[in-house]
Amino acid sequence: MRDTRVGPTGFHDVRETNLGVVLRAVRTLAPCSRAAVAAATGLNKTTVSSLVADLIARGLLRETGESSERRVGRPGVMLALDDRTIAAVGVEVNVDYLSVVAVDLLERALVTRHIAFDARSAGPDACARRIVSAVAEVAAAPALRRRAVIGLSVAVPGLVDSPNGVVTRAPNLAWLGTPLRSRIEELMDRAGSAPVPVLVDNDANLGAVAEYRGGHLAHTADLVYITGEVGIGAGVLMNGELMRGSAGFAGEIGHVRMVEDGPECGCGRRGCLEALAGIEAILRAALPDRFPGGALTRADLADLVETAVERAAAEDTVAVEALDTAGAWLGRGAATLVNLVNPGAVVLGGYFVPLAPWLLPACRAAVRELAFAPGAGGCTVEPSELGLTAAARGGAVAMVDAMESGRLPLPAPPRNGAAAAADEGAS
Amino acid sequence: MRDTRVGPTGFHDVRETNLGVVLRAVRTLAPCSRAAVAAATGLNKTTVSSLVADLIARGLLRETGESSERRVGRPGVMLALDDRTIAAVGVEVNVDYLSVVAVDLLERALVTRHIAFDARSAGPDACARRIVSAVAEVAAAPALRRRAVIGLSVAVPGLVDSPNGVVTRAPNLAWLGTPLRSRIEELMDRAGSAPVPVLVDNDANLGAVAEYRGGHLAHTADLVYITGEVGIGAGVLMNGELMRGSAGFAGEIGHVRMVEDGPECGCGRRGCLEALAGIEAILRAALPDRFPGGALTRADLADLVETAVERAAAEDTVAVEALDTAGAWLGRGAATLVNLVNPGAVVLGGYFVPLAPWLLPACRAAVRELAFAPGAGGCTVEPSELGLTAAARGGAVAMVDAMESGRLPLPAPPRNGAAAAADEGAS
């Protein structure tokens, strides 16, 4: 049954929606006048003035006084986003680290932390505690003083039931049905923190958001981000929107079978892309002397990647060939995405970034060879420029976006003052 | 740059949009009163009355007089779609046949034609001529007499640049860069036919539309339709919208490499799904005695499929094993879609339908085994109930949808009479 309801659903909704519309217009146009906002949004000038007054009272817009519109007479008062009052925090949990990024309203990083942490050995409870303490540390950082934290997002490598905040399945963390959001909320409540909305999502999805909003291929509307950790996942944006699928489980390129009877994967199957080109598989092949008994302490991954880079740079044959082979598998995985999804760009993230010089030639050759569309349907394959904090950053940015699009509450205006006055004149 | 323009773009646009909104509301609610349309759409009653008058004048709505709303006093006049005045025509070109379907405004088939036609041997020019003559035959059928044909769509198995009406690449037809739309328009013009909008699109995309609008899994918002012809393609609907990708080339599951050094594919590569589980590959394996020299007349496909069905039903080991093997490959392809796109349903179309009893067990087992999400993320695999006319029917339905959503013009109202009067009172 199609929803044929198109009319306004209520005064409050319309006003909240319009606050977001004005906020987004100023993000695009700033510095800009109220008249320019009215022209761009189609809202009338009185409504825009009232909405702007409300947003100023909420600490989301400010007047700059600078005018880029040259006119005779008084310069117009210009508007810009107020980057001084709010922060959004994103955390990424991965096999061997936690990343934390806080951004302001302009989506610029205020604080970035990379914390070596063996999440698999720690287990979900200890991990939730470490997340909460890491967020508290970041919230206490000088750059966040006097800012309201509008939301916290947590990126996890695995299947995430985001509406319920549950990690359905994350084999590399050995998590199954972990109610991460409620656990974090409980811990924050017990620590006496002010409650903030918590979002749990897949790491690749949030990495894709980070690339779309702030990477070097920003605003490529059909973009795929591929995580390069022990696990491999894809975040797929179509027309700038995350493709989530019917149960939120889209993008699991790491568990597409590439070959019959291939190496065993963390998921229990054989021949998955992750078992052929995940970072652990790469390191085992590139640095065989470092895995005499096959054992790997996951907290060593960053050091081992550095060693692999050094050896490849020194033209060590074993390392170079291992990276070339992994690059070709990665290319075959990317070609599968190109054939099925036809993105404008595939961005390789995580540990694939330092290894890119040796992965990319074979990867790009495989994409060219295996894509059915001429010229790979216009798709380029590029390393990310956001490093290991992409998913955390994308999560923080997703909270800003959620606020602007009305899925998270805007900060409340003060009890009295400009906003109350503005409300009375609202249309 | 995000588009921040949200306001109305002009009086005419708003009215055209609202005509479509009312048409869709009546489609959902019929039989229904004007008041019910107003309530469902949020438009005010005067506006709805004016729009309804306009739609009645254009022959798209009618008053039924029947009332399902039981009230004291006079029965309310009820509205329904007028299924007597327009028709939309869809054609599918495939390797061994043309299908033509004409539908009315209720998307019910008025005429269905299946024409054996060797499109590959004929070449694009002869094929365009056959399309035009087939459409003329259908338009002259008694069921279409006195109907206005609002549009013609042509489904093609291959990469289609739909905005330009060009078939970029269709290896099974041996077409490359074929300007099919302009060729058809030219031929229709030369034949003195009234000009109608022509849409060229990928066959799998239009098959997916047919399933979504009228198949037995209708309204599954995340749905994949897989064509079962010489070629294999996927039409992917996410939230009821076609996923097209950045250049319109999404869904090419047939050319995903399944295995290194596999059999040769029509695209020139090896190991593509199509070379393992396309209908020609299936028939070669199931009926080896029918391919002594390896030659295949493509116009024989339908007969050969019938023979394969007969032999499998008679438990012929070679046929049964060939279908089981192909089913497993098909399942691996479907599992790739499940992992990447997480659909609610995968529908197998075309010649896969009569072969389904022998393909499906291995296919479903492979999907269960190879999907990373528990329970295949909720995905079921089902044969289509629309037969070989799915893509043609989907194309016809897509024209009706394009009209309702303002991408195709509504039929013009008569010069004088009700519509002109209604226009004067329009809001």
Side-chain angles (χ1 to χ4, degrees):
Chain A
M1 195 77 122
R2 277 169 290 168
D3 185 2
T4 58
R5 200 168 174 92
V6 295
T9 52
F11 177 81
H12 176 75
D13 282 7
V14 172
R15 187 164 175 88
E16 288 285 310
T17 303
N18 285 343
L19 287 168
V21 165
V22 169
L23 207 50
R24 275 199 293 270
V26 175
R27 181 181 297 283
T28 307
L29 304 169
C32 59
S33 64
R34 286 163 173 81
V37 171
T41 60
L43 295 166
N44 74 49
K45 288 185 192 178
T46 318
T47 306
V48 167
S49 289
S50 155
L51 294 164
V52 164
D54 192 342
L55 289 166
I56 289 174
R58 289 169 194 253
L60 298 172
L61 291 187
R62 61 191 175 90
E63 293 181 334
T64 66
E66 305 151 22
S67 173
S68 66
E69 294 172 13
R70 300 192 178 276
R71 295 196 207 159
V72 181
R74 286 199 312 178
V77 178
M78 304 302 275
L79 299 168
L81 296 184
D82 190 339
D83 54 355
R84 301 163 303 180
T85 53
I86 66 122
V89 180
V91 176
E92 180 191 354
V93 181
N94 224 303
V95 169
D96 58 320
Y97 64 82
L98 295 181
S99 278
V100 190
V101 175
V103 303
D104 64 15
L105 188 57
L106 285 170
E107 301 178 358
R108 289 180 308 204
L110 296 165
V111 182
T112 299
R113 293 264 190 287
H114 187 80
I115 302 165
F117 183 75
D118 187 340
R120 186 187 174 111
S121 305
D125 269 2
C127 186
R129 281 197 297 277
R130 190 66 189 91
I131 290 169
V132 171
S133 67
V135 170
E137 285 157 37
V138 164
L144 267 78
R145 204 165 293 153
R146 282 190 293 273
R147 287 176 185 270
V149 174
I150 59 158
L152 165 65
S153 82
V154 184
V156 178
L159 300 177
V160 178
D161 171 1
S162 194
N164 292 307
V166 172
V167 180
T168 304
R169 183 161 191 230
N172 293 314
L173 299 176
W175 292 7
L176 202 68
T178 302
L180 189 61
R181 185 176 67 201
S182 61
R183 194 77 193 95
I184 288 171
E185 284 172 343
E186 215 174 279
L187 289 164
M188 291 179 86
D189 184 46
R190 208 180 296 165
S193 318
V196 295
V198 178
L199 168 85
V200 181
D201 206 337
N202 171 271
D203 59 345
N205 283 351
L206 295 178
V209 169
E211 291 296 338
Y212 180 66
R213 298 277 285 232
H216 66 301
L217 294 166
H219 304 299
T220 302
D222 300 305
L223 177 147
V224 174
Y225 175 83
I226 298 185
T227 61
E229 320 290 340
V230 171
I232 296 179
V236 180
L237 289 166
M238 292 275 105
N239 284 322
E241 295 288 325
L242 275 172
M243 180 185 81
R244 292 186 175 274
S246 68
F249 298 158
E252 290 296 336
I253 184 74
H255 300 286
V256 168
R257 176 169 288 178
M258 293 283 121
V259 61
E260 300 293 308
D261 303 319
E264 202 178 328
C265 180
C267 74
R269 292 178 191 80
R270 289 190 166 277
C272 298
L273 177 61
E274 191 168 301
L276 293 157
I279 204 66
E280 192 170 331
I282 289 179
L283 293 173
R284 279 178 197 280
L287 312 172
D289 54 305
R290 292 297 184 93
F291 300 89
L296 171 74
T297 308
R298 301 208 175 206
D300 294 345
L301 282 176
D303 288 345
L304 291 170
V305 169
E306 222 176 288
T307 306
V309 168
E310 282 161 16
R311 290 198 191 170
E315 296 177 27
D316 174 274
T317 318
V318 174
V320 168
E321 277 179 12
L323 291 169
D324 192 66
T325 303
W329 285 118
L330 213 49
R332 190 161 137 198
T336 301
L337 281 160
V338 165
N339 282 329
L340 292 185
V341 171
N342 182 214
V346 170
V347 182
L348 302 180
Y351 291 124
F352 290 150
V353 177
L355 299 170
W358 301 277
L359 293 171
L360 272 181
C363 176
R364 288 177 173 151
V367 169
R368 274 194 304 273
E369 185 199 341
L370 297 175
F372 178 54
C379 181
T380 61
V381 183
E382 300 291 339
S384 169
E385 294 185 355
L386 298 177
L388 290 178
T389 58
R393 187 195 179 95
V397 166
M399 298 314 266
V400 174
D401 186 56
M403 183 186 74
E404 278 182 8
S405 58
R407 283 170 290 123
L408 266 192
L410 295 162
R415 285 289 168 84
N416 45 36
D423 264 342
E424 278 162 33
S427 80
Chain B
M1 195 76 119
R2 276 169 291 168
D3 185 3
T4 58
R5 195 160 181 100
V6 296
T9 51
F11 177 82
H12 176 76
D13 283 7
V14 172
R15 190 166 174 89
E16 287 286 310
T17 303
N18 285 344
L19 287 168
V21 166
V22 170
L23 206 50
R24 275 198 294 270
V26 175
R27 180 181 297 282
T28 307
L29 303 168
C32 60
S33 65
R34 286 164 173 80
V37 172
T41 59
L43 296 167
N44 74 50
K45 289 184 191 178
T46 318
T47 306
V48 168
S49 289
S50 155
L51 294 165
V52 164
D54 193 341
L55 289 165
I56 289 174
R58 290 170 194 255
L60 299 172
L61 290 188
R62 60 192 176 90
E63 293 181 335
T64 66
E66 306 150 21
S67 173
S68 66
E69 295 171 13
R70 300 192 177 278
R71 295 196 208 159
V72 181
R74 286 200 312 180
V77 178
M78 305 302 275
L79 299 169
L81 295 184
D82 190 339
D83 54 356
R84 301 163 302 181
T85 51
I86 65 123
V89 179
V91 175
E92 180 190 354
V93 181
N94 223 303
V95 169
D96 57 320
Y97 63 82
L98 296 181
S99 277
V100 190
V101 175
V103 303
D104 65 15
L105 188 57
L106 286 170
E107 301 178 359
R108 288 180 309 203
L110 296 166
V111 181
T112 299
R113 293 263 191 287
H114 186 80
I115 302 165
F117 183 75
D118 188 340
R120 186 187 173 110
S121 306
D125 269 2
C127 188
R129 280 196 298 276
R130 190 66 189 89
I131 290 169
V132 170
S133 68
V135 170
E137 284 156 39
V138 165
L144 266 77
R145 204 165 295 150
R146 280 190 294 275
R147 287 177 186 269
V149 173
I150 59 158
L152 165 66
S153 83
V154 184
V156 178
L159 300 176
V160 178
D161 171 2
S162 193
N164 292 308
V166 172
V167 181
T168 304
R169 182 159 193 233
N172 293 314
L173 299 176
W175 292 5
L176 201 68
T178 302
L180 188 61
R181 185 177 66 202
S182 61
R183 194 77 194 93
I184 288 172
E185 285 172 344
E186 214 174 280
L187 288 164
M188 292 178 85
D189 184 47
R190 206 179 299 167
S193 317
V196 294
V198 177
L199 168 84
V200 181
D201 206 337
N202 171 271
D203 59 345
N205 283 349
L206 295 177
V209 169
E211 291 295 338
Y212 180 68
R213 299 276 286 233
H216 65 303
L217 295 164
H219 304 301
T220 302
D222 300 304
L223 178 147
V224 173
Y225 175 83
I226 298 185
T227 60
E229 319 292 340
V230 172
I232 297 179
V236 180
L237 288 166
M238 293 274 107
N239 285 322
E241 294 289 326
L242 274 173
M243 180 185 80
R244 292 188 175 273
S246 67
F249 297 157
E252 289 297 337
I253 185 71
H255 299 285
V256 168
R257 176 169 288 179
M258 293 282 121
V259 61
E260 301 293 307
D261 303 320
E264 202 178 330
C265 181
C267 74
R269 293 180 191 78
R270 289 192 166 274
C272 298
L273 177 61
E274 191 168 301
L276 293 156
I279 205 66
E280 192 170 332
I282 289 179
L283 293 173
R284 279 179 196 280
L287 313 172
D289 54 303
R290 292 297 184 91
F291 300 88
L296 172 73
T297 307
R298 302 209 173 205
D300 294 344
L301 282 176
D303 288 345
L304 291 170
V305 168
E306 221 175 290
T307 307
V309 167
E310 282 162 15
R311 290 198 190 170
E315 295 178 28
D316 174 275
T317 319
V318 173
V320 169
E321 276 179 14
L323 291 169
D324 191 66
T325 303
W329 284 119
L330 212 50
R332 192 163 137 197
T336 301
L337 281 162
V338 166
N339 283 327
L340 293 185
V341 170
N342 182 212
V346 170
V347 182
L348 302 181
Y351 290 124
F352 290 149
V353 177
L355 299 170
W358 301 277
L359 292 171
L360 271 181
C363 176
R364 287 177 173 152
V367 169
R368 274 194 305 274
E369 185 200 341
L370 297 174
F372 178 55
C379 181
T380 61
V381 183
E382 301 291 339
S384 170
E385 295 185 355
L386 299 177
L388 289 178
T389 58
R393 187 194 178 95
V397 167
M399 299 313 266
V400 173
D401 186 55
M403 183 186 74
E404 277 182 9
S405 57
R407 283 169 290 123
L408 267 191
L410 295 162
R415 284 293 167 83
N416 43 35
D423 265 341
E424 278 162 33
S427 80

